[in-house]
Amino acid sequence: PQFRIFFSTLLGISVFFFLKSPKRTFVLNTIIAKLIPVANETRWCTRSKILNFVALNLNKLIEVMQNIMDNPESGIESINGARGFINSLKKI
């Protein structure tokens, strides 16, 4: 179960930025200057790419999430998502 939750979180991070909000993608690109790989639930290679991205950019990714939470223009979905991902990323 822990591995399923872990990989689900990784895929969720990718979806959080790409499929839901261009504003969040902009914040990610501004702070990290890279885009997170696109999630594909059936391809393990995309999970590996996302895992590498998160491992190499963990602190910056937490900074991106904090920036989204602190932005007064962020919606409740963005704030709650960012808060949840920060909690998950800090456990990695």
Side-chain angles (χ1 to χ4, degrees):
Q2 291 175 334
F3 287 115
R4 265 187 290 156
I5 292 168
F6 174 75
F7 283 107
S8 177
T9 298
L10 290 179
L11 292 174
I13 289 171
S14 179
V15 170
F16 182 73
F17 286 105
F18 276 112
L19 298 179
K20 300 288 184 176
S21 173
K23 290 180 183 179
R24 293 190 296 240
T25 303
F26 177 78
V27 173
L28 176 74
N29 195 35
T30 301
I31 293 175
I32 298 180
K34 294 179 189 175
L35 294 177
I36 192 167
V38 177
N40 183 333
E41 290 188 35
T42 60
R43 303 274 184 199
W44 278 98
C45 64
T46 60
R47 294 177 190 198
S48 173
K49 290 177 184 177
I50 295 169
L51 177 60
N52 286 332
F53 178 89
V54 170
L56 293 172
N57 299 289
L58 183 60
N59 292 330
K60 290 266 186 191
L61 201 50
I62 290 172
E63 180 183 340
V64 168
M65 298 295 182
Q66 190 64 52
N67 186 290
I68 290 170
M69 286 176 47
D70 295 342
N71 185 339
E73 295 181 14
S74 291
I76 193 73
E77 180 182 344
S78 295
I79 293 168
N80 287 335
R83 182 179 295 124
F85 286 123
I86 284 176
N87 291 336
S88 295
L89 290 171
K90 288 183 176 180
K91 293 178 184 177
I92 293 178

